Amino acid sequence: MKNSMSTTENDLQIISVVIPSLNGSYAKLLVLTGNEYAKIKETSESNKGKGEKLFALYAESNLHHEISSGMGALTKNQFDELLKVNYNSKMQQGRGGKYLKSVA
């Protein structure tokens, strides 16, 4: 059972990640450890009010991309550092049957 007071490596979090400039409104599902997700949330929170150019949007979701809570955004550099490898390792099709693009 997940303890709301702390996040551990054994916790898992599913997020939907959208990169509008790459795949429009299509999202890839990523499964992160609790520690990975905590770092993404912390980084996203630090962007508030800075006027940074945002690159990727994420939201806590389930396997059907139904958003449950917790949303945020990352800059390109933050995305590259925190999610790029995971994002690029997933092959996912959009509605038209085409595979979503990976980040260069």
Side-chain angles (χ1 to χ4, degrees):
M1 185 170 179
K2 190 172 184 177
N3 178 348
S4 63
M5 297 301 288
S6 65
T7 308
T8 70
E9 192 69 26
N10 295 326
D11 295 332
L12 295 177
Q13 178 63 54
I14 298 172
I15 63 172
S16 294
V17 179
V18 176
I19 302 175
S21 63
L22 186 66
N23 290 310
S25 62
Y26 292 108
K28 284 189 179 184
L29 274 180
L30 304 182
V31 178
L32 306 174
T33 66
N35 289 341
E36 290 170 328
Y37 184 64
K39 178 67 176 165
I40 289 166
K41 277 179 68 172
E42 178 184 316
T43 302
S44 178
E45 285 290 319
S46 73
N47 290 334
K48 290 184 179 176
K50 288 187 176 178
E52 299 274 350
K53 182 177 180 185
L54 300 175
F55 176 73
L57 310 170
Y58 73 86
E60 293 177 17
S61 66
N62 62 21
L63 293 173
H64 303 287
H65 290 286
E66 296 169 339
I67 296 171
S68 57
S69 64
M71 298 180 204
L74 300 170
T75 66
K76 174 74 165 96
N77 289 340
Q78 292 165 340
F79 175 86
D80 287 350
E81 179 185 331
L82 299 170
L83 286 177
K84 183 177 180 177
V85 171
N86 195 333
Y87 186 89
N88 285 345
S89 70
K90 305 294 182 249
M91 296 293 293
Q92 193 159 332
Q93 290 180 310
R95 285 196 182 144
K98 292 182 181 178
Y99 284 98
L100 301 183
K101 297 174 187 172
S102 292
V103 177

